[in-house]
Amino acid sequence: MPEGAVDNDFDEAERPYEERLADALADVQTEPLEQGVAIDVVTRQAVFVRQCKYDTLEAHYEAEGYDLATYKMHPYLPGIGPDNAVYECSYIDANPQNAHKQGKTYDFPSARLMHLPLEQSWTDAEVGEL
């Protein structure tokens, strides 16, 4: 006998939103990729992600001596928390005449960086539907 919405209570037939969302985002890259590109959500500029420098904001604090979580506008970002990884990045200048000025790197909590999904250009990856 088939089982479905007709055979079950509504709560059993309808999957919880959290499960549907987890399935839809299961293959979506959300953390920045080392040697990849991300968008600084504060300045809306592209950055080159050199490396994951610290696994947590606490590790950054212990090594660098200042709290990156409370630095400038960071407390106002929705995803800031002690479990944020810290990435070393360099801003990408869109003007080729400034190519010689590259070189300075900055530490960013992961909540400040939006992975730019360039890999979707050569893969079939798409965000699932709920």
Side-chain angles (χ1 to χ4, degrees):
M1 176 177 279
E3 292 187 20
V6 175
D7 302 321
N8 294 307
D9 292 335
F10 179 79
D11 290 336
E12 293 174 6
E14 178 69 20
R15 289 181 60 217
Y17 175 75
E18 292 83 5
E19 287 180 20
R20 290 183 287 136
L21 181 60
D23 287 347
L25 299 178
D27 296 328
V28 176
Q29 178 70 37
T30 56
E31 286 291 310
L33 291 176
E34 290 183 346
Q35 307 296 303
V37 177
I39 301 297
D40 174 354
V41 297
V42 173
T43 66
R44 296 187 278 181
Q45 291 178 274
V47 296
F48 175 76
V49 181
R50 180 171 181 251
Q51 66 181 345
C52 181
K53 201 168 174 183
Y54 300 100
D55 291 333
T56 65
L57 283 168
E58 182 179 4
H60 177 275
Y61 174 76
E62 290 172 0
E64 302 292 335
Y66 72 96
D67 191 3
L68 191 58
T70 60
Y71 180 74
K72 293 188 178 181
M73 75 297 297
H74 292 168
Y76 303 103
L77 295 174
I80 289 292
D83 58 339
N84 276 186
V86 177
Y87 292 88
E88 180 183 17
C89 302
S90 179
Y91 283 102
I92 299 172
D93 194 316
N95 183 350
Q97 293 180 350
N98 292 330
H100 66 285
K101 295 180 182 178
Q102 292 298 128
K104 189 158 175 69
T105 63
Y106 302 91
D107 291 344
F108 291 86
S110 59
R112 184 171 170 167
L113 300 171
M114 181 189 85
H115 168 66
L116 189 61
L118 296 172
E119 69 277 0
Q120 288 184 12
S121 300
W122 55 85
T123 67
D124 295 334
E126 291 184 23
V127 176
E129 293 184 21
L130 292 180

